[in-house]
Amino acid sequence: MGKKGISIAIDGPAGSGKSTVARRVAEALGLLYVDTGAMYRAVTLKAQREKISLDDGEALTKLANELDLSYKKMPDHTYRLFMDGEDVSDEIRTERVSTGVSLVAAVKGVRRALVERQKQMGAAGDVVMDGRDIGSTVLPEADYKIFLTASIHERAKRRWLELQAQKVDVSLEEIEEGLQKRDYIDCNRETDPLRPAPGCLILDTTDLDIDQVVGKILSLINNNP
Ligand code: DC
């Protein structure tokens, strides 16, 4: 059942479980789900393909302004991201893109371009959006703002288990190191750094599974209509 006009912002660091949780909450409430990290990842992929240096803020900004991005819900209820008409949903999840994306997301002009698009996507409401700056910058008027977090070790372990399932050979230590680097860049950049928005609910998911986190968010919404 869609609740008219409702908007939910879910922010948090990599590995906090926010994408899975946000998708499940959107599904339960019949709302649109928007994964804003996927948009930063698409700009990164395009830059890597075109051999644009990830230090070249001007060229990256131009890319972010010109890139044709659309986010589509498929008949099987999954969401796919199309870049210039090509489905890049799987390619944006590779380690190569994950390693570069924090640099791209730190570029002011890139953020300005993508935040503007995200604001438009959220303007009509009936949306769950996840990212790093949704409650603070993209949807500051959101009805519900949630900040998911978990210990670095737990977040690394989740990512490692995911990669093990995909038969990717990487150590837990490497993952933890990579996460630490991304956290540092995401939290210390000049524009829209990752931090809980004023008035948000902070949920530590270290000892919770996905069902428990989704349950807590749905009861928050049901108890505070
Ligand atoms: O959630 P994710 O791992 O797909 O995010 C990829 C990167 O993009 C990560 O470095 C943080 C950044 N990001 C951001 O700065 N702002 C957002 N709204 C979403 C993601």
Side-chain angles (χ1 to χ4, degrees), residues 50-99:
E50 298 204 344
K51 307 217 178 335
I52 291 173
S53 159
L54 301 187
D55 294 333
D56 188 345
E58 211 172 301
L60 292 170
T61 301
K62 190 163 179 284
L63 258 193
N65 277 300
E66 290 173 358
L67 206 56
D68 173 28
L69 285 178
S70 58
Y71 202 55
K72 291 187 189 144
K73 188 172 186 181
M74 310 311 277
D76 65 355
H77 294 244
T78 58
Y79 285 84
R80 310 292 292 179
L81 183 74
F82 291 81
M83 179 176 87
D84 297 330
E86 175 193 352
D87 182 350
V88 291
S89 315
D90 297 324
E91 211 178 332
I92 58 169
R93 303 281 154 207
T94 57
E95 272 309 294
R96 181 161 184 250
V97 172
S98 297
T99 307

Side-chain angles (χ1 to χ4, degrees), residues 41-211:
R41 286 173 178 271
V43 175
T44 307
L45 174 65
K46 182 83 174 176
Q48 288 172 335
R49 281 186 182 175
E50 298 204 344
K51 307 217 178 335
I52 291 173
S53 159
L54 301 187
D55 294 333
D56 188 345
E58 211 172 301
L60 292 170
T61 301
K62 190 163 179 284
L63 258 193
N65 277 300
E66 290 173 358
L67 206 56
D68 173 28
L69 285 178
S70 58
Y71 202 55
K72 291 187 189 144
K73 188 172 186 181
M74 310 311 277
D76 65 355
H77 294 244
T78 58
Y79 285 84
R80 310 292 292 179
L81 183 74
F82 291 81
M83 179 176 87
D84 297 330
E86 175 193 352
D87 182 350
V88 291
S89 315
D90 297 324
E91 211 178 332
I92 58 169
R93 303 281 154 207
T94 57
E95 272 309 294
R96 181 161 184 250
V97 172
S98 297
T99 307
V101 65
S102 292
L103 295 173
V104 173
V107 176
K108 205 176 196 161
V110 170
R111 302 203 67 80
R112 219 178 262 151
L114 296 189
V115 165
E116 189 48 43
R117 292 183 192 211
Q118 291 155 10
K119 280 179 183 280
Q120 283 167 15
M121 293 164 98
D126 280 340
V127 69
V128 179
M129 212 178 268
D130 88 52
R132 303 291 191 287
D133 58 342
I134 309 304
S136 56
T137 306
V138 179
L139 301 176
E141 311 289 328
D143 300 296
Y144 304 95
K145 296 181 186 179
I146 293 137
F147 191 90
L148 293 185
T149 180
S151 71
I152 179 101
H153 187 68
E154 175 63 23
R155 292 189 284 124
K157 200 176 87 192
R158 290 174 188 171
R159 181 72 188 136
W160 182 75
L161 287 172
E162 254 172 46
L163 291 171
Q164 288 288 299
Q166 295 166 25
K167 308 250 178 294
V168 178
D169 183 27
V170 57
S171 72
L172 185 58
E173 290 71 29
E174 274 174 83
I175 301 273
E176 195 162 326
E177 223 171 87
L179 274 184
Q180 233 148 13
K181 275 190 195 142
R182 281 170 66 190
D183 279 0
Y184 183 83
I185 301 175
D186 291 345
C187 292
N188 291 286
R189 66 179 175 230
E190 202 179 309
T191 313
D192 305 334
L194 169 68
R195 64 177 58 119
C200 71
L201 171 81
I202 299 180
L203 249 179
D204 186 336
T205 72
T206 305
D207 298 316
L208 301 176
D209 65 24
I210 296 286
D211 284 340

